Amino acid sequence: MKPAAFDYLQAATLDEALDALHEAGGDARVIAGGQSLVPMLNMRLARPAVLVDIMRIEALQKIERSGGDILIGAGVRQAKLEAWPDLVDRLPLVAMALPWLGHVQTRARGTVCGSLAHADPSAELPLSLIALRGSVHLRTKRKKRTVSAEDFFLGMMATDLAEGEMIEAVSFPARADGTGYGFNEIGRRHGDFAITAVAAVMTEHSASIAIAGVDDRPRRFDVPLPGNSGLDDALNEIAWDLNARDDIHASARYRRELVRRLGRRTIEEAAACLA
Amino acid sequence: MSRLNAHEKKTVTFKLNGLPVRADAESRMLLSDFIRHEIGLTGTHVGCEHGVCGACTIQVDGAPARACLMLAVQAEGADIRTVEALSPGEGRLSTLQAAFKRHHGLQCGFCTPGILMSLDALISARPDAGRDEVRDHLSGHLCRCTGYVTIVEAALSALDEIRREVKSNV
């Protein structure tokens, strides 16, 4: 399996990358770590005429605080975020999710924003971003805009990215005092795509869960607190609301059961980390 | 900005196993094919070519990575090691390689070069690693012969030996 031919542009600055994307229009794709795009190129599921490599752009390599958010540039590899000394303190949910994301060998190259752009419905980083109600910073040659995670993921490998547009950075809201987090995943083997993954965020007065691997995109729901008798009913309604489908890995029924059980367990773990 | 048009070739230069190498590549040439066909080092094996099996794993700037998920042109200026770098000399095996032989950590050997490169990176980065870390690193590799048990034993044995060597040097 070999990729179809393409022009390869290595941008030294963000402006160069944006110019190149503008010029090539819909025929161009951004390549960052390449861990999702190169398999698609090798299988010729993607045949872009132009690839714009953004990994030599210094300005995209940053992890920084911005107000209550942690801003992660489009060139930041997953392994770099994993090794960031403040990760567990500032982004505990992401710290829980990262070890589940692919393997050591793919996290060494793959980027945080690349996983968002790929938008696999079972992927852990889109799930974390939805759970934390983060946002994605997009940019074309002419304009910048910020889109909430809820509006960014549109469906199976489909996002709100427009022609000529690229992700410049992502904002993950940092841990707030009095907030607990939980994360669980069931897959065939560790590192495989999740059959179902669940993230939970809890405060004293509120609870929410986000679910990946069931619907065509990660989705977030407010739920009753775990002490409340209504939680199981709410989880059951969510399970039916998610358009679970049968595939080679699991039946729709099994996925609904995972939403109920893994949902409750993850919320309880978030509550325990709150206590 | 550097631009390489489709079907045009560019000279790619990087460090491979400690020595500078250079050869021409089209933009679409995978790093795995570049190392095997242009440089001529065939120790790096090519299995699935979409990042699942781990047979082509090499080290890029010290970290294990899939050679089939990198373009040769992306490797410009990198420091790359392949399985050929492991042997300390003609006809000799590294501590890790010898442990694989001792524990029957391979049968057909197709997946072995990639596994060795992942475990070699683990041993360098974290000589205190235990069974969990070894298994975590192996999760990025498929082996259809061994059932993995002997590979884990070989890795733990090599880690043990390397820790003892370090201790006795103090």
Side-chain angles (χ1 to χ4, degrees):
Chain A
M1 290 188 297
K2 316 290 172 194
F6 49 79
D7 293 350
Y8 172 78
L9 283 82
Q10 196 171 68
T13 65
L14 188 56
D15 284 340
E16 281 185 3
L18 293 168
D19 280 343
L21 289 171
H22 177 77
E23 223 170 88
D27 295 334
R29 289 289 291 266
V30 169
I31 183 165
Q35 302 300 288
S36 302
L37 182 58
V38 178
M40 309 252 293
L41 295 175
N42 289 358
M43 292 187 271
R44 302 201 179 191
L45 293 170
R47 303 177 72 133
V50 181
L51 276 193
V52 180
D53 188 337
I54 60 165
M55 292 308 278
R56 313 245 164 171
I57 303 173
E58 196 57 43
L60 299 179
Q61 300 290 337
K62 282 183 243 165
I63 304 175
E64 58 190 9
R65 287 186 196 193
S66 161
D69 290 342
I70 305 300
L71 194 70
I72 299 167
V76 174
R77 298 191 198 273
Q78 293 149 13
K80 180 173 169 179
L81 180 61
E82 216 176 347
W84 183 48
D86 295 339
L87 182 69
V88 173
D89 182 47
R90 306 307 297 165
L91 295 174
L93 179 66
V94 177
M96 290 176 201
L98 270 177
W100 291 92
L101 204 164
H103 305 281
V104 170
Q105 297 86 352
T106 56
R107 294 198 296 272
R109 305 293 305 169
T111 62
V112 175
C113 290
S115 172
L116 303 176
H118 186 60
D120 187 290
S122 64
E124 292 83 1
L125 284 170
L127 172 67
S128 305
L129 192 68
I130 283 277
L132 295 172
R133 308 176 92 170
S135 50
V136 186
H137 305 286
L138 307 176
R139 193 160 175 176
T140 63
K141 182 179 160 74
R142 302 198 196 286
K143 70 168 194 197
K144 285 169 140 180
R145 63 187 179 119
T146 296
V147 179
S148 71
E150 207 75 42
D151 293 332
F152 181 71
F153 299 108
L154 300 180
M156 171 91 67
M157 293 176 182
T159 68
D160 192 40
L161 270 169
E163 206 172 289
E165 198 169 41
M166 64 176 270
I167 300 180
E168 185 180 6
V170 57
S171 285
F172 282 95
R175 180 179 66 84
D177 286 340
T179 311
Y181 303 90
F183 183 90
N184 278 297
E185 175 169 327
I186 297 284
R188 284 275 167 189
R189 286 166 306 229
H190 185 83
D192 276 12
F193 288 104
I195 292 174
T196 298
V198 183
V201 180
M202 282 246 353
T203 68
E204 204 184 324
H205 308 291
S206 70
S208 67
I209 62 167
I211 293 159
V214 185
D215 213 335
D216 64 353
R217 61 191 190 282
R219 291 183 54 194
R220 179 189 169 281
F221 303 87
D222 290 314
V223 292
L225 293 170
N228 188 311
S229 60
L231 178 59
D232 285 331
D233 286 345
L235 288 170
N236 184 45
E237 267 175 47
I238 291 167
W240 284 101
D241 192 31
L242 280 171
N243 306 308
R245 269 162 298 205
D246 296 319
D247 66 18
I248 192 169
H249 302 295
S251 64
R253 185 177 172 181
Y254 178 67
R255 285 191 161 90
R256 282 192 293 272
E257 191 60 8
L258 285 179
V259 171
R260 295 181 197 106
R261 299 210 181 191
L262 216 51
R264 174 169 268 285
R265 190 199 303 170
T266 310
I267 288 167
E268 283 169 354
E269 284 172 11
C273 105
L274 187 63
Chain B
M1 177 157 45
S2 74
R3 183 182 187 113
L4 179 62
N5 291 326
H7 304 299
E8 213 174 51
K9 284 189 174 180
K10 179 192 171 200
T11 304
V12 177
T13 311
F14 55 80
K15 203 157 103 182
L16 183 61
N17 301 334
L19 297 170
V21 292
R22 54 188 297 152
D24 292 346
E26 273 186 41
S27 57
R28 63 163 154 171
M29 177 170 270
L30 301 175
L31 182 57
S32 43
D33 290 334
F34 186 79
I35 289 170
R36 289 176 57 86
H37 303 307
E38 302 305 314
I39 308 293
L41 291 189
T42 54
T44 300
H45 290 175
V46 169
C48 72
E49 290 191 279
H50 62 283
V52 174
C53 77
C56 69
T57 302
I58 58 171
Q59 291 170 11
V60 180
D61 298 325
R66 313 281 204 226
C68 76
L69 296 190
M70 276 182 76
L71 305 171
V73 288
Q74 288 180 299
E76 179 69 44
D79 185 356
I80 290 176
R81 289 179 83 226
T82 61
V83 70
E84 286 88 350
L86 294 185
S87 162
E90 188 71 36
R92 292 166 58 204
L93 297 178
S94 71
T95 304
L96 179 64
Q97 287 170 311
F100 263 67
K101 186 178 175 192
R102 210 164 50 241
H103 289 269
H104 303 286
L106 66 151
Q107 286 178 34
C108 86
F110 194 84
C111 67
T112 313
I115 291 181
L116 288 172
M117 295 318 284
S118 278
L119 292 175
D120 179 76
L122 172 66
I123 288 171
S124 309
R126 303 222 302 273
D128 59 336
R131 191 176 293 268
D132 288 349
E133 285 103 325
V134 167
R135 289 180 61 94
D136 187 43
H137 273 61
L138 285 178
S139 77
H141 294 273
L142 293 178
C143 171
R144 301 289 81 161
C145 299
T146 62
Y148 305 100
V149 173
T150 53
I151 299 178
V152 174
E153 295 310 320
L156 291 174
S157 165
L159 277 159
D160 227 33
E161 205 175 319
I162 281 156
R163 281 192 293 257
R164 275 204 308 274
E165 275 167 25
V166 172
K167 232 182 206 166
S168 62
N169 285 342
V170 173

